[in-house]
Every structure is written in C-alpha cells, then in structure tokens.
C-alpha cells in the first residue's frame, strides 16, 4: 500500500491523499480580482486527483501584493471575483480548496516575473510605497520600505482577519498564513530584516510576536476546528539569519495556539542566500520540525519523482508532500504517481475512458 495515497486530516479538513498543490502566483489578476485565467488554471488542477488545492498567495491589502497583478481578498469586488471560479471548481470536483493569505512587505511593488520582476518605485505606474518591520530594502538598489508603526501593524493584522472572514463566506475549506519566502511576516521573524527596538524586535520572542498576533487574529474569526496552517521558511540560508532552531520554536508556539499544519519551505529573505538546491533539499527542515511538534508537516521543494515523494511520507520525514512548479509541468502528476505506485486515484467521470490499458484499475469509482 502507498502511504502517499492514504487519507489524512487537519482540523476539520479531510483529504483523500497526501499530495498537496502548493500556492503558485499567476500574476494575472486585475486590481486584485481573479480573471478567466484563474478559472482555467485552478480548474485543471482541481481535476488532478491531488488531496488539496491551494489558491495562490492572496494579498490582504492592495499594498500587500507582490505585483500589481496579484490576487487579493480585501473588499467586496475581490471577494465577488472568486465566486465564479470557486463555483466552477465545486461543480465538477470535490477537491478541498485552501487559500494562502499574504502580505509581501518590502518585497511588494514589483513587476511581473516575465517582465523582469524588478521593483517598481512609488510614483511610477503600478508602483507604490512598501512597508516592512524596518526601513531596510530587500536589495541595496531598491526603494526603502517605510517602517511600520503599531497602528500600521494593527491594520495589517485586522486585514488578515477580514480576509479570513471573506474566505469563510466563500466556503473555502482551509486557510494558510504566509510567513515564508521573505514576505512581511518572515521579515518580522528574521533578525536580518527586523531591526526594531520595540516589543516586536530583538529577541526571538519579540520577533515572533507580530506573526503570532496575526495567527491569533485569524483563528479568532474562524470556527474552533477550522484548519489554519502556516507556511514558514525553515532557514534564510544566510549566516546570522532565521534558522531551523528558531523555526522549531515558532512551530511549537503555533501548535500551542491551535495551528492545524505547518508547511516548511526556505529562503527568500536575503539576496545573499546560498541554497544547496537538489531534489528534496528542504526535506531535512520538515523532518526536524516534525520531530518537534505534534501536527501535520508538509514538505516541499524539487519533489518530482514518484518514489521520492512516497519515501518522504512513508519514512515519516513529513506527513504530506507539496508540488508547485512540478504540477504546473504535469497537471496529472497524482494520476501518474498512483499508476506508478499501483494504487487508485479519483478522476472525473468524463475522463474515465482515458484509463491506460496497463492500469485498468487506476481510477476509483465516482
């Protein structure tokens, strides 16, 4: 039996298998509103056979977007734009749908990646003034962010909570809070980007304070058993930065507050990072967190081989495996993995006739 294709629960959320589709920015929204692209993109992934589909990083405020073309969930218009996309998914698929709520902080106000991805200064078309824990830019040649005061932090905290309320109204099954990849909550966590001298900077306890306040604010507006997870960077890959020991301390604090799962990625905070990129290079980070906390842990990062994904879950290194670019390349990865591992997977009835001759029992009855 394949461990990868066994069910798992997180809070009130039940997933038929441990294959998670990670949030992947599409840079195709209009004023924060989803477009037809998102219906096409998320629709095909909803038919993949994965256990969970996560909507891309969704900004809780306009200035929290990475680019001007990011999806948002901060007003009635951005909420309404998600309705037809989610309605189409639910008409044809029973895949659970999560959303990643995010604020980019000093890494906001950039151009689309296929246009170079450079920061757009305030005052220029599609640019705005960024904010951060401290007034240090991501790169020396970029416009410096404005250091947040307590009132600004409170507004962002409340924006996360309001986006969570909207997520509930939309019927989304789970919420992930983005505290990784060098975005705002990660910026508060890392001593490389947080140079504050108040109660939100300095010690590890202080640097964790604002991310934990955001988590608590989101938890306060959802039902007790509603799954709220967090995505973290297990290390900055820079000497003197955020590391796995601090990650474990944060994970333990989150677990005590009712976190449903933790998704362990890495990097993204500092351009000096030295990442030893290789298949599964972040799995040891997930393994270390899993050994320290009693909640589901998700591993991610260049996991593309079927046997590799199976071994990560089967050996207990992580409870789930997340796919990002790999599932963009192969949107039927879960089908192909199930066929390789000799197990069954759900497929839409419209696709049952494509079952390969060599895998006549691949698709479960629907």
């Amino acid at each position: 039996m394949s461990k990868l294709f066994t069910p798992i629960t997180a809070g009130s959320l039940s997933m038929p298998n441990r294959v998670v589709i990670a949030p992947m920015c599409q840079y195709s929204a209009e004023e924060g509103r989803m477009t037809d692209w998102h219906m096409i993109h998320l629709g095909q992934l909803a038919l993949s056979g994965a256990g969970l589909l996560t909507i891309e990083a969704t900004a809780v405020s306009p200035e929290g977007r990475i680019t001007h073309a990011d999806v948002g969930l901060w007003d009635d218009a951005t909420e309404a734009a998600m309705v037809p996309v989610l309605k189409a998914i639910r008409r044809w698929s029973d895949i659970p749908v999560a959303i990643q709520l995010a604020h980019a902080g000093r890494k906001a106000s950039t151009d689309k990646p296929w246009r170079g991805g450079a920061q757009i200064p305030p005052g220029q078309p599609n640019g705005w003034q960024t904010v951060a824990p401290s007034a240090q830019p991501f790169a020396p040649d970029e416009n410096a962010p404005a250091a947040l005061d307590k009132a600004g932090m409170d507004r962002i905290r409340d924006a996360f909570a309001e986006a969570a309320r909207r997520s509930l109204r939309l019927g989304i099954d789970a919420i992930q809070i983005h505290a990784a990849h060098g975005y705002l909550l990660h910026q508060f966590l890392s001593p490389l980007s947080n140079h504050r001298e108040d109660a939100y900077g300095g010690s590890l306890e202080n640097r964790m304070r604002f991310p934990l306040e955001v988590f608590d604010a989101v938890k306060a507006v959802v039902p007790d058993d509603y799954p709220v997870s967090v995505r973290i960077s297990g290390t900055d890959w820079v000497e003197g930065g955020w590391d796995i020991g601090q990650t474990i301390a944060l994970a333990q604090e989150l677990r005590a507050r009712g976190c449903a799962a933790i998704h362990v990625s890495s990097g993204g905070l500092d351009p000096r990072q030295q990442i030893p990129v290789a298949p599964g290079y972040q799995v040891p980070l997930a393994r270390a967190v899993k050994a320290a906390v009693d909640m589901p842990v998700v591993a991610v990062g260049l996991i593309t081989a079927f046997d590799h994904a199976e071994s990560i879950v089967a050996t207990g290194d992580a409870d789930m495996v997340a796919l990002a670019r790999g599932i963009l390349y192969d949107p039927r990865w879960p089908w192909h993995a199930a066929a390789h591992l000799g197990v069954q997977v759900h497929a839409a009835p419209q696709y049952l006739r494509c079952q390969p001759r060599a895998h006549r029992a691949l698709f479960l009855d629907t």
Side-chain angles (χ1 to χ4, degrees), residues 79-121:
E79 181 180 343
M82 289 191 180
V83 171
V85 176
L86 291 167
K87 183 179 179 181
I89 290 171
R90 291 184 179 118
R91 182 180 180 189
W92 301 110
S93 174
D94 60 1
I95 192 171
V97 179
I99 189 169
Q100 185 186 70
L101 300 181
H103 192 297
R106 70 182 188 179
K107 291 181 73 176
S109 188
T110 64
D111 209 343
K112 297 179 183 181
W114 54 84
R115 293 178 179 169
Q119 186 191 61
I120 302 175

Side-chain angles (χ1 to χ4, degrees), residues 46-309:
L47 300 174
S48 67
L52 179 68
L53 170 61
T54 314
I55 294 170
E56 67 190 81
T58 301
V60 300
S61 61
E63 70 276 6
R65 293 173 293 171
I66 304 166
T67 79
H68 62 90
D70 282 14
V71 168
L73 187 56
W74 61 70
D75 62 9
D76 291 347
T78 51
E79 181 180 343
M82 289 191 180
V83 171
V85 176
L86 291 167
K87 183 179 179 181
I89 290 171
R90 291 184 179 118
R91 182 180 180 189
W92 301 110
S93 174
D94 60 1
I95 192 171
V97 179
I99 189 169
Q100 185 186 70
L101 300 181
H103 192 297
R106 70 182 188 179
K107 291 181 73 176
S109 188
T110 64
D111 209 343
K112 297 179 183 181
W114 54 84
R115 293 178 179 169
Q119 186 191 61
I120 302 175
Q124 298 297 312
N126 298 321
W128 59 88
Q129 177 60 52
T130 62
V131 297
S134 306
Q136 281 76 33
F138 174 73
D141 60 343
E142 293 184 346
N143 179 71
L148 284 161
D149 59 14
K150 187 59 167 64
M153 293 164 60
D154 289 347
R155 285 193 295 272
I156 292 171
R157 177 203 63 204
D158 294 346
F160 270 92
E162 179 59 23
R165 291 188 188 95
R166 294 182 183 277
S167 299
L168 286 180
R169 283 203 294 268
L170 288 163
I172 289 171
D173 299 297
I175 290 169
Q176 182 181 94
I177 296 172
H178 200 355
H181 299 167
Y183 298 124
L184 183 67
L185 299 186
H186 186 181
Q187 291 160 28
F188 270 90
L189 292 169
S190 176
L192 299 177
S193 49
N194 184 343
H195 298 173
R196 299 176 73 95
E197 297 180 351
D198 61 3
Y200 294 90
S203 68
L204 175 60
E205 179 183 7
N206 284 358
R207 285 182 279 115
M208 292 193 301
R209 193 181 308 277
F210 183 61
L212 291 174
E213 287 181 0
V214 168
F215 179 85
D216 290 343
V218 169
K219 281 289 289 180
V221 302
V222 301
D224 286 345
D225 64 345
Y226 183 89
V228 179
S229 68
V230 177
R231 190 171 195 182
I232 59 172
S233 281
T235 176
D236 289 338
W237 301 109
V238 178
E239 185 70 27
W242 184 256
D243 58 26
I244 190 60
Q246 296 172 88
T247 297
I248 289 170
L250 174 63
Q252 291 169 335
E253 288 289 339
L254 288 168
R255 182 57 180 144
R257 286 166 161 79
C259 185
I262 195 156
H263 185 149
V264 185
S265 188
S266 71
L269 181 109
D270 192 300
R272 297 172 295 174
Q273 64 189 17
Q274 297 293 318
I275 304 178
V277 176
Y281 69 101
Q282 294 172 152
V283 172
L285 302 171
R287 183 190 308 125
V289 172
K290 183 169 169 55
V293 294
D294 180 23
M295 63 175 160
V297 173
V298 184
V300 67
L302 287 183
I303 301 168
T304 59
F306 309 137
D307 288 328
H308 185 202

